[in-house]
Amino acid sequence: MNFDKKSDVLIAVREAPFRANKLQQNQSVIQFATDCKNTLVVNNAVHTFDAAFNSSVSQATLYETLVQPLVSKVLAGTNCTALAYGQTGTGKSYSMGMGAEPVTEQQMGILPRCAKDLLMRIPLLKADKENNRIPMQLFVSFLEIYNEKAHDLLSAEPQKPIAVRGQRFTGATKQLLSSLKDLQSLLELGAKKRHVRATNMNQHSSRSHAIVTFSVQRGHRVSRLNLVDLAGSEGVRRTQNEGMARDEGVFINMGLLAINKVLLSLTAGHAVIPYRESILTAVLQGLLSLCFTKLNYLFKPLFFL
Ligand code: ADP
Ligand code: MG
């Protein structure tokens, strides 16, 4: 798809698939224009995005259209971020490929597809005459933000929240990545750490923000690709949750609202940007700011209906 846009921020939407168990017996309320791949119509209102995918879009097309171009940018030295935003159950984790369970090739989400491309393309770059003297390596880190605390899921240390000092994040454990099998083991390791707390917390996996970062290190230069699977965006009142679940909802919305505020401040050109209002924005600080000030960062939210 040729995005006719100068901005470094792109917004795409993917329709959630029909699921019989969700009592969605009626036809989808969304109509997609056949001749234009960036609009959809709901109750006669036309909504325009950079890209709009109906529920039949494949994981491969989603990746190739939206995220594969970011892999090329990261290999060229630019930092990029792809964010999945939407209500619980709409397919954010499925699309991002954040699950630790093995899936078929067709079902593979954005994360393993990125890893596959990076692993294939880095040796080709290394083989290039001009590049062969500079060592190039691929690292991965896996972070979770739960109840306004950041957890380093690949750390060998016992689980405790990592310091986001003065709410300025200094980094998580980076593991060398040399195969897709490595990635699978690291995801399983990370998922287990998330799962430990899940036994006590209801629906924990979707109650936290997950951030996987690929770092391409070339000599002293590092470029990063951040894949962010945000927690469900449903309002606290709507879920009618009480107690712990309600507190989780409050923290999640705090992070999501903070992202919104940061982006609005950046676009308005404010001198003071409210990064410190949440751990999520503190962790993403470098990426969100550079996206606007230097225009060499790509920040691409994926919205899911
Ligand atoms: P979320 O992360 O937004 O809460 P999930 O990604 O966990 O939602 O999706 C909920 C369920 O729907 C999962 O079982 C997932 O495998 C399935 N699912 C979501 N999107 C698709 C899709 N496009 N095709 C097939 N199954 C999907
Ligand atoms: Mg999820």
Side-chain angles (χ1 to χ4, degrees):
M1 192 175 291
N2 188 15
F3 294 111
D4 184 21
K5 193 170 172 180
K6 299 238 163 26
S7 165
D8 274 354
V9 181
L10 299 174
I11 299 178
V13 64
R14 180 186 201 175
E15 184 185 29
F18 167 81
R19 287 195 298 280
N21 62 350
K22 291 206 91 186
L23 301 174
Q24 294 171 341
Q25 301 298 349
N26 301 325
Q27 268 202 325
S28 172
V29 293
I30 309 164
Q31 295 159 320
F32 288 83
T34 47
D35 54 341
C36 180
K37 289 191 170 130
N38 63 351
T39 59
L40 54 86
V41 182
V42 184
N43 292 337
N44 296 323
V46 180
H47 300 271
T48 305
F49 303 88
D50 292 302
F53 299 101
N54 67 26
S55 59
S56 66
V57 69
S58 68
Q59 293 281 75
T61 303
L62 189 88
Y63 170 72
E64 283 157 19
T65 314
L66 298 173
V67 186
Q68 201 167 39
L70 303 188
V71 170
S72 304
K73 287 187 179 267
V74 169
L75 289 173
T78 303
N79 287 343
C80 302
T81 296
L83 279 161
Y85 174 92
Q87 277 188 27
T88 299
T90 49
K92 297 181 297 298
S93 304
Y94 178 82
S95 303
M96 294 307 274
M98 292 283 194
E101 309 76 37
V103 290
T104 64
E105 178 106 21
Q106 232 185 353
Q107 294 168 326
M108 244 168 66
I110 286 167
L111 172 64
R113 285 176 199 268
C114 283
K116 207 172 159 189
D117 263 356
L118 286 164
L119 288 166
M120 190 187 70
R121 291 171 67 179
I122 285 176
L124 295 178
L125 281 173
K126 274 196 207 167
D128 185 271
K129 266 190 201 150
E130 282 180 24
N131 289 312
N132 68 1
R133 265 180 276 143
I134 310 164
M136 203 169 172
Q137 286 177 307
L138 179 64
F139 294 90
V140 68
S141 58
F142 191 4
L143 196 78
E144 176 190 51
I145 299 172
Y146 177 69
N147 280 359
E148 276 298 277
K149 289 197 173 67
H151 297 271
D152 183 348
L153 298 178
L154 300 186
S155 162
E157 309 275 307
Q159 274 297 291
K160 62 175 196 295
I162 53 171
V164 181
R165 247 175 269 129
Q167 299 233 347
R168 199 186 166 94
F169 179 60
T170 47
T173 305
K174 282 198 224 164
Q175 298 280 4
L176 190 68
L177 193 70
S178 44
S179 69
L180 269 187
K181 229 173 129 197
D182 280 1
L183 179 73
Q184 189 59 31
S185 330
L186 292 172
L187 283 178
E188 281 168 18
L189 182 80
K192 259 188 221 149
K193 295 200 177 172
R194 291 181 87 176
H195 189 74
V196 172
R197 289 189 304 281
T199 51
N200 302 329
M201 321 280 180
N202 189 25
Q203 278 190 314
H204 175 239
S205 67
S206 59
R207 312 310 291 156
S208 67
H209 308 294
I211 305 173
V212 171
T213 304
F214 290 110
S215 306
V216 178
Q217 197 159 333
R218 191 186 310 206
H220 295 299
R221 279 183 59 194
V222 182
S223 48
R224 292 185 187 87
L225 174 59
N226 292 272
L227 303 177
V228 188
D229 184 12
L230 293 170
S233 61
E234 52 275 7
V236 172
R237 229 171 292 143
R238 224 177 114 185
T239 58
Q240 297 182 334
N241 280 336
E242 295 295 338
M244 182 67 91
R246 188 187 161 88
D247 292 346
E248 286 171 359
V250 170
F251 282 125
I252 290 164
N253 290 331
M254 197 190 273
L256 297 176
L257 185 69
I259 284 205
N260 198 15
K261 278 197 200 166
V262 163
L263 293 178
L264 288 174
S265 299
L266 286 165
T267 38
H270 292 165
V272 179
I273 310 294
Y275 291 113
R276 294 172 182 212
E277 285 199 8
S278 81
I279 297 288
L280 181 64
T281 44
V283 166
L284 292 175
Q285 174 165 353
L287 292 142
L288 298 177
S289 70
L290 284 164
C291 146
F292 280 81
T293 56
K294 289 197 184 159
L295 291 180
N296 65 350
Y297 272 59
L298 241 144
F299 164 71
K300 188 189 294 258
L302 288 170
F303 286 76
F304 295 88
L305 285 176

